[in-house]
Amino acid sequence: MRPSLLKSSAELLRRSRGYASAANPERKVAILGAAGGIGQPLSLLMKLNPLVSSLSLYDIAGTPGVAADVSHINSPALVKGFMGDDQLGEALEGSDVVIIPAGVPRKPGMTRDDLFNINAGIVKGLCTAIAKHCPNALVNMISNPVNSTVPIAAEVFKKAGTYDKKKLFGVTTLDVVRAKTFYAGKAGVPVTEVNVPVVGGHAGITILPLFSQATPASNSLSQEDIEALTKRTQDGGTEVVEAKAGKGSATLSMAYAGAVFADACLKGLNGVPDVVECSFVQSTVTELPFFASKVRLGKNGVEEVLGLGELNDFEKKGLENLKGELMSSIEKGVKFAHSN
């Protein structure tokens, strides 16, 4: 690639994600599960982020190759690869942000709950290490089912005496990314200008896009259109799983969404004002202990959990319909954390 083209690509990435280019504090980001289907493209995207000065890549296998590959990219972040349980502590030490895409992906016919028995144990082990080696890091949970793995992480941190509700996030950004894309396509508006809050959880009907609050507003969409957009957003993961025909789940779009949310966390840590993203966090917005809604990010992680705003009747019904399933998933995570 010619230098001019490389420079143009880097500038496009900075603009598309709102990356800052001014001098910033040194920040270490660790990716746990860096050699996987999400982890590899996520590692690439975080290497391109100028807010990252140190990038720590960890997995149970394959990480030296991924780290060597990514380290050749001429961007500032210094890359180190770590592999196996004995190197996990070193991988985590001093991290400001820890991103967890570790675990097995969905396959055709699997729900996120089918992943639970495998991924729950993986998450519990990784969070035990986080509590020991970087207890003050912001933790971005990607491993599914997020509706359960975030409560597992919270319980692990509570047991270790390190839990801070401001520093644990379920990454639901892919639901927002999908809602923006699908809305822009149907409404005929520029996708880069679209914003759509997505609340609730991160699986099926617990995903509730609030298209009534979408900007720019569109008068061209019927109620049937809105209901179809809602269903497609809820089923976005299944759409990709089926399209890949047994060869994977949403990895590239999830890596992009994970990079967007991690970038927002880094901006917040660095004191950039008014950084707002949707995330699954400890919440009092509803009667549920964890809930996804808009969150203002800052130097301590969550600065403020924002309310839902005004909902229309369709969204109010969706909110009531999701609560039972979401609460069940939360309780499942808590129960698992206490059972072993």
Side-chain angles (χ1 to χ4, degrees):
M1 183 180 284
R2 298 191 306 275
S4 60
L5 187 55
L6 178 62
K7 185 176 179 181
S8 298
S9 300
E11 183 60 32
L12 178 62
L13 281 164
R14 276 197 292 272
R15 285 204 309 269
S16 66
R17 292 176 187 78
Y19 287 162
S21 56
N24 287 290
E26 292 197 350
R27 297 294 183 192
K28 177 178 177 179
V29 173
I31 299 177
L32 308 185
I38 297 169
Q40 290 197 42
L42 179 58
S43 298
L44 168 65
L45 292 171
M46 295 314 296
K47 176 70 167 100
L48 295 173
N49 188 323
L51 302 183
V52 180
S53 52
S54 175
L55 184 60
S56 179
L57 306 182
Y58 172 84
D59 214 320
I60 57 173
T63 345
V66 176
D69 195 355
V70 171
S71 72
H72 291 182
I73 295 168
N74 61 325
S75 62
L78 297 176
V79 180
K80 288 186 179 181
F82 301 90
M83 186 171 72
D85 290 344
D86 58 331
Q87 295 185 6
L88 178 55
E90 187 182 355
L92 290 169
E93 206 73 48
S95 294
D96 296 288
V97 177
V98 179
I99 313 172
I100 310 179
V104 298
R106 285 174 69 196
K107 296 176 181 176
M110 289 178 71
T111 67
R112 285 181 173 86
D113 276 341
D114 291 330
L115 304 177
F116 181 87
N117 290 328
I118 300 173
N119 289 356
I122 293 170
V123 165
K124 188 175 182 182
L126 294 174
C127 288
T128 300
I130 290 168
K132 181 178 180 181
H133 296 285
C134 56
N136 296 315
L138 303 190
V139 177
N140 294 2
M141 185 68 68
I142 291 174
S143 303
N144 274 316
V146 165
N147 293 352
S148 299
T149 54
V150 169
I152 289 171
E155 294 304 310
V156 170
F157 296 150
K158 286 175 185 176
K159 184 177 180 181
T162 64
Y163 181 57
D164 184 342
K165 65 182 181 181
K166 295 181 177 181
K167 296 186 175 182
L168 176 60
F169 304 88
V171 180
T172 61
T173 314
L174 182 52
D175 302 325
V176 177
V177 166
R178 286 172 172 149
K180 288 178 178 181
T181 302
F182 302 158
Y183 175 85
K186 195 68 177 175
V189 295
V191 69
T192 54
E193 296 175 12
V194 169
N195 198 10
V196 182
V198 182
V199 303
H202 184 57
I205 66 162
T206 71
I207 300 167
L208 183 61
L210 304 181
F211 289 114
S212 70
Q213 299 177 24
T215 56
S218 173
N219 296 320
S220 64
L221 300 180
S222 67
Q223 182 59 30
E224 289 73 21
D225 291 332
I226 296 299
E227 291 179 14
L229 286 171
T230 299
K231 185 79 165 62
R232 190 179 180 201
T233 304
Q234 292 171 337
D235 294 342
T238 302
E239 183 178 318
V240 175
V241 167
E242 291 177 350
K244 289 191 174 182
K247 296 183 178 178
S249 57
T251 53
L252 302 175
S253 54
M254 183 63 248
Y256 168 78
V260 167
F261 188 75
D263 180 63
C265 287
L266 290 166
K267 284 181 187 168
L269 287 174
N270 291 350
V272 175
D274 296 321
V275 178
V276 176
E277 293 285 343
C278 291
S279 183
F280 186 66
V281 297
Q282 184 173 321
S283 174
T284 57
V285 167
T286 69
E287 64 272 27
L288 302 177
F290 292 91
F291 198 82
S293 65
K294 287 184 181 178
V295 173
R296 180 172 287 109
L297 301 166
K299 293 184 177 181
N300 298 304
V302 175
E303 291 294 328
E304 184 182 7
V305 179
L306 303 175
L308 300 180
E310 189 173 340
L311 307 184
N312 63 26
D313 289 342
F314 175 71
E315 292 161 351
K316 288 177 182 175
K317 182 180 178 183
L319 177 61
E320 291 308 310
N321 288 343
L322 70 81
K323 287 180 179 178
E325 181 174 323
L326 182 51
M327 189 64 207
S328 176
S329 296
I330 293 169
E331 289 173 342
K332 187 174 182 179
V334 172
K335 183 178 179 182
F336 177 86
H338 288 283
S339 65
N340 295 292

